[in-house]
Amino acid sequence: MTGFFYRNNYLYKVEIAKKKRDIRAFTKEQLRTFFETNGDQPFRGNQVYEWLWQKSAHTFEDMTNLSKKTREMLHDNFVINHIKVDQMQRSSDGTIKNAVRLHDDLIVESVLIPTKTRTTACVSSQVGCSLDCKFCATSRLKRMRNLNPDEIYDQVVAIDNESRLYFDRPLSNIVFMGMGEPLMNYNNVLKAIDKITSPEGLGMSPKRITVSTSGVPKMIRKMADEEVKFKLAVSLHSAIDEIRTSIMPFNATFTLKDLREALEYWYQKTKSRITYEYVVWDGINDSQKDVDALVEFCRFAPSKVNLIEYNPIDDGEFQQASNKAIERYVATLERNGITVTVRRSRGKDIDAACGQLANKS
Ligand code: SAH
């Protein structure tokens, strides 16, 4: 674009760079309108949309069923801000960690976790995290920004490709347990899930997606109202306010009572079982009183407790509890009819396990 300005009796002619827009922020309808107002057929919008989402095109050049002129016109008006897997690390247990570079050079991490029958993608929802969970490495990175829907979607596509390449099968499950708090980037996470589950995207079943939250009551209620179809996991770690606040300080604001009421509401609306993520630490939450509080907390709805292995991130403030303490949790929960699993960590040797994502490289 050309512009003019006048200074000291001279008229200057300057080239003004046109600000290109992020094409993946456009809906299909908006793309159709764009083509229509530019004297082209609206169905071109459908073609471009398919290239962007179903075929994950990285450039306009890739869109081979469009004329050269149309591709140039798109190039003049838009950018495709694609993520780039900067570094891929493979663990001895098969786990893969991707360091993902965003268009503004910030980095997030995502993880592929293979088992005999499944491939799970663990994806990030924010760059850094604003919560301050004392046991989590991501909490040491200040929250820089929320991820856009396409940046979340692209992490999933990258892992799906890796799963096909290294394990000869497509991705089967997705967990929002990477960096960040998904419910503090609610709109973009939901938009990403819409694309992941849409036949115009990856066509995955929402039942294979789990959103994990530290527990933001207002957003849990909102999800319930919107009757979302994915699963919910809550990182509980303690059912006693004083203890939970000491390790997850935001619990002072979003107390267990608020959380529990929001979860009751969620269950009434969705009838979907709630999973609690729970690490048992030595001297912090390993007594019978802690187990009893958890049983009490779980009573209002069918629940499942995942006891996760602690992945050390510091010099010893937190230590994994003894096997005896874990066994006490398992026995008490089972006796009270609560499903419980004990989870081994994956990808520890490459800092890819729960709570270890911190852009170390
Ligand atoms: N903010 C979301 C998702 C990110 S954390 C949430 O809190 O759920 C993903 C899971 O890893 C959470 O259950 C979290 O409590 C757990 N986690 C964090 N640090 C950990 C560590 N060092 N060892 C084991 N699990 C950890």
Side-chain angles (χ1 to χ4, degrees):
M1 209 164 46
T2 310
F4 296 93
F5 75 93
Y6 190 73
R7 184 184 284 167
N8 301 339
N9 293 330
Y10 286 99
L11 185 64
Y12 293 87
K13 184 179 170 191
V14 286
E15 283 303 314
I16 303 167
K18 192 158 146 191
K19 188 151 173 24
K20 294 186 184 184
R21 288 169 294 175
D22 172 6
I23 194 161
R24 288 200 298 170
F26 283 65
T27 61
K28 187 158 71 182
E29 244 353 277
Q30 288 169 327
L31 288 175
R32 286 172 61 88
T33 309
F34 171 82
F35 280 101
E36 205 170 8
T37 49
N38 281 282
D40 206 329
Q41 300 291 329
F43 82 88
R44 296 261 175 255
N46 300 37
Q47 289 178 312
V48 171
Y49 195 83
E50 189 178 321
W51 276 111
L52 292 173
W53 296 104
Q54 241 174 328
K55 301 183 187 160
S56 280
H58 285 211
T59 69
F60 296 113
E61 275 304 293
D62 293 342
M63 303 182 178
T64 45
N65 59 355
L66 303 179
S67 71
K68 189 155 184 280
K69 197 166 145 244
T70 305
R71 281 182 270 155
E72 276 168 8
M73 191 264 280
L74 288 172
H75 188 270
D76 288 343
N77 285 279
F78 300 105
V79 284
I80 305 176
N81 286 332
H82 225 279
I83 64 158
K84 186 167 163 282
V85 176
D86 237 18
Q87 196 192 28
M88 191 196 102
Q89 286 173 278
R90 289 195 79 176
S91 156
S92 53
D93 65 19
T95 302
I96 293 176
K97 182 169 80 171
N98 292 330
V100 168
R101 187 177 292 273
L102 308 172
H103 69 91
D104 51 2
D105 279 340
L106 292 170
I107 307 269
V108 291
E109 292 175 335
S110 37
V111 183
L112 177 161
I113 307 150
T115 63
K116 271 206 189 94
T117 52
R118 290 177 172 193
T119 307
T120 301
C122 173
V123 296
S124 294
S125 54
Q126 299 181 310
V127 187
C129 190
S130 55
L131 302 180
D132 186 24
C133 302
K134 299 300 176 197
F135 46 83
C136 179
T138 308
S139 73
R140 293 173 186 177
L141 304 172
K142 177 167 120 240
R143 190 197 78 93
M144 306 289 284
R145 70 169 172 87
N146 286 339
L147 293 188
N148 296 328
D150 50 284
E151 292 168 328
I152 297 169
Y153 183 84
D154 287 352
Q155 293 176 64
V156 175
V157 172
I159 291 182
D160 186 34
N161 290 338
E162 287 167 351
S163 179
R164 289 168 198 271
L165 182 66
Y166 297 107
F167 301 94
D168 221 10
R169 62 188 188 207
L171 175 69
S172 60
N173 298 73
I174 302 173
V175 292
F176 281 79
M177 292 190 188
M179 294 171 152
E181 169 49 50
L183 296 196
M184 292 195 168
N185 184 17
Y186 181 81
N187 287 337
N188 289 351
V189 166
L190 255 71
K191 279 186 193 162
I193 293 177
D194 271 350
K195 290 270 189 317
I196 293 165
T197 52
S198 155
E200 291 179 327
L202 297 177
M204 273 182 81
S205 162
K207 295 200 173 66
R208 295 180 172 273
I209 301 176
T210 301
V211 169
S212 175
T213 176
S214 301
V216 187
K218 197 172 119 197
M219 303 320 282
I220 293 172
R221 285 173 187 273
K222 193 164 156 61
M223 278 195 319
D225 283 336
E226 292 180 3
E227 292 178 19
V228 297
K229 299 282 180 276
F230 50 78
K231 293 189 194 156
L232 178 65
V234 176
S235 301
L236 194 62
H237 303 308
S238 174
I240 299 174
D241 267 315
E242 198 189 342
I243 296 174
R244 194 166 192 259
T245 302
S246 73
I247 54 176
M248 302 170 83
F250 67 86
N251 186 72
T253 319
F254 306 134
T255 61
L256 284 165
K257 180 171 174 286
D258 295 343
L259 176 60
R260 191 187 150 128
E261 283 170 6
L263 291 171
E264 269 189 77
Y265 186 74
W266 159 270
Y267 183 71
Q268 279 163 18
K269 286 263 177 179
T270 65
K271 293 285 173 276
S272 168
R273 179 171 79 167
I274 301 156
T275 298
Y276 296 105
E277 308 291 326
Y278 202 103
V279 180
V280 189
W281 290 284
D282 193 33
I284 292 180
N285 57 355
D286 59 349
S287 72
Q288 188 63 47
K289 196 168 141 228
D290 295 292
V291 194
D292 294 342
L294 175 60
V295 169
E296 202 45 48
F297 190 90
C298 289
R299 266 198 210 292
F300 68 91
S303 314
K304 178 181 170 195
V305 174
N306 277 340
L307 295 176
I308 346 178
E309 188 181 340
Y310 176 55
N311 303 304
I313 56 147
D314 58 18
D315 308 327
E317 187 193 343
F318 288 91
Q319 307 260 352
Q320 167 86 22
S322 65
N323 286 342
K324 208 171 142 218
I326 310 257
E327 279 158 22
R328 178 160 57 195
Y329 262 93
V330 173
T332 312
L333 288 165
E334 281 179 345
R335 204 167 47 243
N336 283 278
I338 299 163
T339 310
V340 54
T341 57
V342 181
R343 284 274 176 85
R344 294 282 324 279
S345 282
R346 305 289 307 273
K348 254 187 180 176
D349 54 342
I350 54 166
D351 285 332
C354 278
Q356 290 188 313
L357 301 184
N359 292 346
K360 258 197 194 167
S361 52

